[in-house]
């Protein structure tokens, strides 16, 4: 029988965090002001284990060449690495390489749904449903398409008491819709939406579903084929991988309805002066020189995650720390915590605001103590509006954060508030 997991202030520490942290060089950084870094800005972007940095560096040092274009050794090696990464990453997300399109980001993946699918399948009067809780990446492409095509855009509100989606309103909004675009996990509230329920509701109306899993993928293993969504957008940089790459997972039926988005080289079978014959499947969408170093880095990241992280234990750890922080922060005079990080399904995000210290100022004051948090509207202005604020501070936790960091953060925040309010 394994010994019980240790607990700090009632929070169960299920992970060997010191071992995990030893893989991340940046987490040992001392800032110019002499403070050790405490990185609580994981929802903006996660840090990278050394194996990811080394895999990318090795590519540039040893076998960098343009993939899919030549017959020399380096080109063969880089093509093989790009394609083996596709296979590995798709498998990690519970699907196969034919259902995955590399993109530059989660934002680009959502644009690919808008311009590669909706533009070919929706016409004036068709309905797209999104929600008030979304990141701008899951709002602005729909607004633009709506202007271009006369598509009706419906917003599902949030329940401002519970800080969840209003599922009754969702049920109504979905009536007659062609596409439902919903976030998997809110980047502001950390709430995990009931995506399985939304997929079922949408499919029963005959609508396609696009999930924005930019914040879901770092916290839970996605089994895309089982989940049944038609599209799912993911960003590598939020899950230990490099910046500059993400993907869109697509079900075969939805893929067969798509047409080209960005056009040019790499995605064609033949080009004449008059016309172009495009490649099939995912190859129709990966225009230009492939994201080789980024794919290789992402491959290393998913290998590392699989070897080192049990996602259920990580959830318990992250949730334990974030909910402890939220409950302590609610006790600090003048601090409001938005959302409900204590809720079992919530994922490591504590958005907060002080009633007299401006969010920007609080960001600087926290930085002075070594604490990196995000400040601003988090690219979710409709949600900010629904909550009646312009911006918040946001501390976001990942599996490499410790209870000691959380305690130091709460104590620093308490001191700052005492001194400056
Ligand atoms: N959706 C959500 C929920 C996000 O949090 C983010 C990143 N903040 C994005 C989409 C966009 O991701 P990227 O910046 O990598 O395109």
């Amino acid at each position: 029988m394994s010994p019980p997991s240790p607990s700090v202030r009632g929070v169960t520490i299920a992970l060997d965090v010191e071992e995990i942290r030893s893989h991340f060089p940046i987490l040992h950084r001392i800032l110019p002001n002499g403070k050790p870094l405490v990185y609580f800005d994981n929802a903006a972007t996660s840090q990278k284990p050394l194996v990811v940095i080394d895999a990318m560096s090795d590519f540039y040092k040893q076998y960098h060449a343009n993939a899919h274009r030549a017959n020399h050794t380096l080109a063969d090696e880089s093509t093989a690495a790009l394609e083996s990464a596709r296979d590995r990453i798709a498998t990690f997300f519970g699907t196969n390489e034919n259902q995955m399109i590399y993109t530059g980001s989660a934002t680009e993946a959502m644009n690919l749904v808008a311009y590669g699918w909706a533009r070919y399948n929706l016409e004036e009067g068709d309905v797209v449903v999104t929600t008030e809780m979304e990141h701008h990446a899951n709002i602005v492409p729909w607004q633009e398409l709506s202007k271009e095509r006369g598509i009706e855009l419906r917003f599902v509100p949030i329940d401002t008491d519970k800080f969840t989606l209003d599922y009754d309103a969702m049920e109504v909004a979905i009536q007659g819709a062609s596409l439902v675009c919903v976030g998997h996990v809110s980047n502001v509230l950390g709430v995990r939406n009931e995506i399985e329920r939304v997929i079922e509701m949408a499919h029963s109306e005959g609508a396609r579903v696009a999930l924005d899993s930019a914040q879901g993928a770092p916290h839970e293993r996605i089994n895309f084929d089982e989940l049944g969504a038609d599209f799912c957008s993911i960003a590598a940089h939020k899950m230990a991988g490099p910046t500059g790459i993400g993907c869109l997972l697509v079900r075969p039926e939805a893929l067969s309805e798509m047409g080209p988005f960005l056009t040019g080289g790499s995605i064609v079978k033949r080009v004449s002066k008059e016309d172009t014959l495009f490649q099939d499947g995912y190859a129709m969408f990966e225009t230009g020189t492939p994201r080789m170093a980024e794919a290789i880095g992402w491959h290393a990241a998913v290998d590392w995650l699989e070897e080192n992280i049990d996602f259920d234990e990580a959830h318990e750890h992250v949730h334990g720390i974030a909910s402890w922080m939220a409950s302590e922060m609610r006790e600090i005079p003048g601090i409001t915590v938005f959302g409900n990080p204590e809720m079992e399904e919530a994922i490591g995000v504590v958005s907060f605001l002080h009633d007299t210290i401006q969010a920007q100022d609080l960001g600087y004051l926290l930085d002075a103590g070594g604490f990196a948090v995000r400040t601003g509207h988090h690219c979710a202005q409709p949600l900010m509006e629904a909550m009646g604020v312009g911006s918040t501070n946001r501390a976001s936790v990942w599996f490499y954060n410790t209870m000691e960091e959380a305690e130091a953060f709460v104590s620093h925040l308490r001191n700052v508030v005492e001194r400056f309010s």
Side-chain angles (χ1 to χ4, degrees):
M1 211 171 87
S2 53
S5 300
S7 120
V8 180
R9 299 210 178 215
V11 177
T12 304
I13 303 301
L15 302 176
D16 183 352
V17 186
E18 280 320 308
E19 206 289 317
I20 290 170
R21 286 174 75 85
S22 70
H23 295 255
F24 291 79
I26 206 168
L27 297 180
H28 306 282
R29 165 114 199 251
I30 303 296
L31 298 173
N33 65 7
K35 303 280 183 192
L37 169 71
V38 175
Y39 189 74
F40 278 143
D41 198 12
N42 295 290
T45 193
S46 72
Q47 300 300 350
K48 325 299 172 201
L50 190 57
V51 285
V52 170
I53 302 163
D54 283 349
M56 295 175 79
S57 155
D58 197 44
F59 167 67
Y60 283 123
K61 285 188 205 151
Q62 301 292 338
Y63 59 104
H64 170 251
N66 212 328
H68 291 305
R69 280 160 172 74
N71 298 324
H72 56 82
T73 303
L74 264 52
D76 283 349
E77 289 174 357
S78 100
T79 302
L82 179 73
E83 293 312 321
S84 114
R86 184 194 309 280
D87 184 31
R88 181 70 186 90
I89 296 163
T91 309
F92 185 79
F93 293 127
T95 189
N96 67 75
E97 73 277 12
N98 295 318
Q99 311 314 137
M100 190 185 108
I101 304 168
Y102 284 129
T103 62
S105 60
T107 303
E108 195 184 302
M110 267 314 183
N111 276 271
L112 182 53
V113 180
Y115 293 97
W117 183 82
R119 194 162 53 113
Y120 289 94
N121 293 279
L122 304 188
E123 39 190 57
E124 190 170 346
D126 284 343
V127 173
V128 173
V129 174
T130 184
T131 90
E132 237 173 38
M133 201 190 271
E134 304 307 311
H135 187 279
H136 295 164
N138 200 14
I139 294 177
V140 184
W142 309 118
Q143 282 175 342
E144 289 304 299
L145 203 70
S146 155
K147 283 185 228 159
E148 191 185 306
R149 283 292 155 104
I151 285 162
E152 184 191 339
L153 183 56
R154 295 183 188 156
F155 279 87
V156 174
I158 60 162
D159 176 331
T160 40
D161 292 331
K162 292 193 278 182
F163 292 100
T164 60
L165 287 176
D166 179 338
Y167 290 97
D168 291 338
M170 169 83 79
E171 195 125 29
V172 176
I174 280 178
Q175 310 279 315
S178 298
L179 177 67
V180 177
C181 305
V182 66
H184 187 155
V185 170
S186 160
N187 62 321
V188 178
L189 301 170
V191 60
R192 188 218 189 254
N193 292 321
E194 295 178 34
I195 51 172
E196 292 80 3
R197 183 171 165 196
V198 175
I199 293 167
E200 210 179 296
M201 278 190 220
H203 281 172
S204 71
E205 274 295 310
R208 294 236 175 267
V209 180
L211 285 183
D212 171 0
S213 290
Q215 297 290 346
H219 292 281
E220 71 180 76
R221 285 300 294 269
I222 291 175
N223 188 322
F224 181 67
D225 287 348
E226 254 176 36
L227 201 52
D230 299 282
F231 305 98
C232 179
S233 63
I234 294 172
H237 69 94
K238 293 189 198 281
M239 48 177 299
T243 54
I245 191 163
C247 72
L248 182 68
L249 306 175
V250 195
R251 285 180 79 73
E253 314 80 66
L255 186 58
S256 69
E257 296 165 353
M258 291 176 74
F261 167 32
L262 300 171
T263 55
S266 296
I267 62 163
V268 298
K269 284 182 181 157
R270 195 178 55 79
V271 180
S272 69
K273 280 192 279 184
E274 290 74 34
D275 207 2
T276 295
L277 187 62
F278 292 102
Q279 299 258 26
D280 304 311
Y282 67 77
M284 192 193 286
F285 304 99
E286 296 178 1
T287 319
T289 293
R291 299 174 170 89
M292 297 164 295
E294 292 77 9
I296 289 162
W298 198 5
H299 184 168
V302 299
D303 277 350
W304 186 88
L305 287 170
E306 190 127 280
E307 267 165 43
N308 293 279
I309 301 299
D310 174 313
F311 274 61
D312 291 334
E313 283 179 4
H315 172 68
E316 198 185 334
H317 176 84
V318 165
H319 182 262
I321 292 179
S323 50
W324 180 85
M325 283 166 77
S327 63
E328 292 291 310
M329 287 159 69
R330 288 186 209 279
E331 301 300 315
I332 301 177
I335 293 282
T336 302
V337 171
F338 295 89
N340 191 357
E342 292 93 335
M343 194 165 51
E344 186 46 41
E345 309 77 48
I347 294 175
V349 173
V350 188
S351 274
F352 60 100
L353 205 52
H354 188 265
D355 56 15
T356 58
I357 309 172
Q358 295 289 309
Q360 294 293 339
D361 295 337
L362 192 49
Y364 288 123
L365 292 165
L366 290 168
D367 180 59
F371 301 96
V373 302
R374 167 92 194 254
T375 300
H377 54 58
H378 315 291
C379 299
Q381 284 181 306
L383 176 57
M384 295 283 127
E385 203 183 313
M387 301 197 307
V389 294
S391 60
T392 70
N393 296 105
R394 178 188 69 186
S396 49
V397 179
W398 212 25
F399 49 66
Y400 45 53
N401 289 120
T402 66
M403 263 308 282
E404 290 71 23
E405 288 179 318
E407 288 176 311
F409 175 80
V410 169
S411 152
H412 183 77
L413 180 62
R414 203 176 280 121
N415 290 340
V416 163
V417 166
E418 265 168 30
R419 247 182 97 193
F420 293 94
S421 57

